[in-house]
């Protein structure tokens, strides 16, 4: 080798050694954190299994939304009803599914509010997951029998399951960890979830053709069963933190069933948070609808579409895991909430500006991967640190209302917006997304101003006592 080549090889080896050592140092840090706080390992396992269980199902759900066989999605009576009025459901599959999902979310919100108001945490958390496990056993029967219309029920149910299960998880984490701990640990807990979100679609892509869609329901149910065990083990650390700060979260929460929506209407911080979530989901929905159209025209079977969406999920989760391991904790502890909100805003504005000018399929895929990754790795952990500084009514009720009614409200609104704007071309669709991203950035700035008014780890005033 020449001197220049030798120098280049030496430089490459040193760079590789540095990357390996950096990864090793992060693993050591996670190990040390777990020794300080044993609850961290159970939190890792909980979120890993929760997202593994969900992401086993998500590609199946997405395949239903992009189905070319309308009979697999809607029951015959529903198809006939719309056909009688000259409305072809095949052209409105995602829009109708989003509308039904939103209606179910609204119906489930007061039920959830009643559950968290009247029952202690040790009761409603396992009961909620137990109900989801029972539903999966029912879906195993529906898919195994290939009953017509199964797609509608499954799509709606998976949407409800995802919203409530993840909202409850982060609310529970705010019971277990303080705000200071949340800033240190949430990035790593999110990384454990990302590994699960990475594992789920790999299992689906590997097993969908081999064992069929029906048996995937049982795989997901097994993951959720482990989650129930984790909840039971984490209860000890939640109770210990409550004793340290003088509160009792094991009793029923009380309050009104619709207290979450009333809090959002009353509190500026919650209002801006709700607006930001609404627009963020809506912008993602524009990308999702366009991606579904690509899948619908590009693949002929549900299994092929399932594998396609699993590939998208894998790409999202690889990028998410990288950011969570190498950036989330550093940004949160050094720069605070502002960095993890505004960096994704800048990427979103740039991405939609590019798509408005040139809406190529490959660019749509890239922007979708980056947008979803930023939400999971930066924005979601950042937003959840706010809930460690407020009381249970904010966490379990207002937080759940934002993650349900406003989350799905953004989905249905922008799903129909996409359908209306798509007749003018993709550039118009993404131009509207760019304008929404501007408003979302303004909302993030106002949210940062409001959260600065909260004390560091304890809350007084409108939020009440932690």
């Amino acid at each position: 080798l020449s001197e220049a080549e030798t120098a280049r090889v030496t430089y490459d080896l040193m760079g590789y050694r540095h990357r390996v050592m950096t990864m090793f140092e992060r693993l050591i840090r996670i190990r040390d954190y777990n020794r300080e706080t044993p609850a961290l390992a159970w939190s890792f396992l909980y979120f890993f299994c929760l997202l593994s269980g969900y992401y086993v199902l998500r590609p199946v759900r997405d395949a239903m939304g992009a189905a070319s066989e309308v009979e697999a999605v809607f029951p015959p009576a529903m198809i006939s009803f719309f056909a009688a009025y000259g409305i072809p459901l095949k052209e409105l599959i995602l829009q109708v599914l989003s509308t039904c999902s939103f209606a179910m979310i609204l119906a489930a919100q007061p039920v959830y509010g009643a559950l968290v108001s009247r029952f202690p945490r040790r009761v409603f958390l396992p009961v909620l997951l137990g109900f989801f496990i029972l539903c999966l056993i029912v879906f195993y029967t529906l898919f195994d029998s290939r009953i017509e219309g199964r797609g509608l029920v499954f799509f709606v149910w998976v949407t409800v399951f995802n919203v409530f299960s993840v909202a409850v998880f982060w609310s529970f984490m705010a019971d277990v960890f303080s705000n200071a701990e949340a800033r240190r640990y949430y990035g790593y807990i999110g990384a454990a979830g990302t590994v699960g979100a990475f594992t789920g679609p790999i299992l689906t892509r590997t097993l969908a053709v081999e064992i069929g869609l029906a048996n995937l329901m049982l795989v997901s149910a097994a993951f959720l069963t482990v989650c129930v065990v984790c909840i039971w083990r984490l209860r000890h650390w939640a109770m210990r933190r409550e004793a340290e700060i003088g509160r009792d979260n094991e009793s029923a929460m009380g309050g009104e069933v619709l207290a979450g929506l009333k809090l959002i209407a009353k509190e500026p911080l919650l209002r801006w948070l709700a607006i930001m979530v609404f627009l963020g989901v809506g912008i993602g929905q524009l990308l999702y609808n366009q991606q579904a159209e690509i899948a619908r025209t590009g693949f002929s079977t549900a299994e092929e579409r399932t594998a396609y969406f699993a590939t998208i999920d894998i790409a999202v989760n690889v990028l998410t895991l990288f950011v969570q391991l190498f950036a989330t904790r550093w940004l949160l502890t050094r720069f605070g909430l502002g960095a993890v909100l505004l960096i994704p805003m800048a990427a979103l504005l740039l991405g939609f500006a590019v798509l408005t000018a040139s809406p190529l399929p490959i660019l749509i895929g890239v922007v979708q991967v980056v947008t979803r990754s930023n939400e999971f790795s930066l924005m979601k952990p950042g937003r959840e640190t706010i809930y460690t500084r407020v009381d249970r009514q904010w966490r379990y009720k207002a937080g759940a209302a934002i993650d349900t009614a406003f989350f799905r409200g953004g989905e249905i609104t922008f799903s129909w917006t996409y359908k209306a704007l798509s007749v003018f071309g993709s550039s118009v669709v993404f131009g509207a997304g760019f304008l929404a991203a501007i408003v979302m950035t303004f909302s993030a700035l106002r949210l940062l101003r409001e959260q600065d008014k909260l004390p560091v780890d304890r809350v007084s005033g409108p939020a009440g006592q932690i």
Side-chain angles (χ1 to χ4, degrees), residues 369-428:
V369 168
V370 172
T371 299
R372 286 178 57 193
S373 173
N374 281 338
E375 166 63 18
F376 298 146
S377 62
L378 296 176
M379 298 187 71
K380 180 66 173 177
R383 292 197 306 266
E384 293 302 329
T385 63
I386 296 174
Y387 291 115
T388 63
R389 301 159 64 185
V390 297
D391 72 356
R392 284 193 295 165
Q393 297 283 339
W394 282 44
R395 287 199 298 274
Y396 282 96
K397 293 187 177 181
I402 289 172
D403 287 340
T404 55
F406 285 88
F407 191 99
R408 294 307 162 187
E411 183 180 80
I412 183 177
T413 300
F414 281 80
S415 183
W416 285 103
T417 299
Y418 170 83
K419 197 64 180 178
L421 295 179
S422 61
V423 299
F424 301 104
S426 299
S427 292
V428 173

Side-chain angles (χ1 to χ4, degrees), residues 268-270 272-273 276 337-338 341-342 386 389 441-455:
L269 184 149
L270 292 174
W272 289 115
L273 183 57
M276 192 173 70
L337 183 61
L341 294 185
L342 297 181
I386 296 174
R389 301 159 64 185
T441 302
F442 176 76
S443 301
L445 292 171
R446 295 303 302 266
L447 173 67
L448 291 171
R449 179 181 297 181
E450 292 297 329
Q451 71 94 29
D452 284 339
K453 299 176 184 178
L454 295 175

Side-chain angles (χ1 to χ4, degrees), residues 156-174:
V156 172
W157 179 86
V158 171
T159 300
V160 174
F161 159 68
N162 175 48
V163 169
F164 281 104
S165 62
V166 174
V168 166
F169 170 81
W170 286 112
S171 296
F172 189 33
M173 290 299 100

Side-chain angles (χ1 to χ4, degrees), residues 64-82:
M64 294 293 103
S68 57
E69 310 87 5
V70 69
E71 295 79 12
V73 182
F74 301 113
M78 186 174 179
I79 297 172
S80 300
F81 176 82
F82 278 89

Side-chain angles (χ1 to χ4, degrees), residues 204-228:
T204 299
R205 183 169 181 172
T206 304
L207 300 175
V209 178
E210 297 296 326
I211 67 174
L213 301 184
N215 286 301
L216 291 175
M217 309 298 144
L218 302 181
V219 174
S220 179
F223 280 115
L224 297 190
T225 302
V226 178
C227 292
V228 176

Side-chain angles (χ1 to χ4, degrees), residues 144-189:
D144 188 55
S145 304
R146 302 186 68 85
I147 295 176
E148 292 183 341
R150 61 191 179 278
L152 170 63
V153 181
F154 183 73
F155 189 100
V156 172
W157 179 86
V158 171
T159 300
V160 174
F161 159 68
N162 175 48
V163 169
F164 281 104
S165 62
V166 174
V168 166
F169 170 81
W170 286 112
S171 296
F172 189 33
M173 290 299 100
D175 283 345
V176 175
F177 300 108
S178 67
N179 182 259
E181 290 171 331
R183 288 171 179 261
R184 294 164 64 192
Y185 302 152
Y186 273 15
Y188 293 133
I189 293 174

Side-chain angles (χ1 to χ4, degrees), residues 32 164 208 278 310 325 363 365 380 405 410 421 459 466:
D32 292 340
F164 281 104
F278 177 87
L325 288 177
L363 291 179
K380 180 66 173 177
L421 295 179
V459 175
I466 289 183

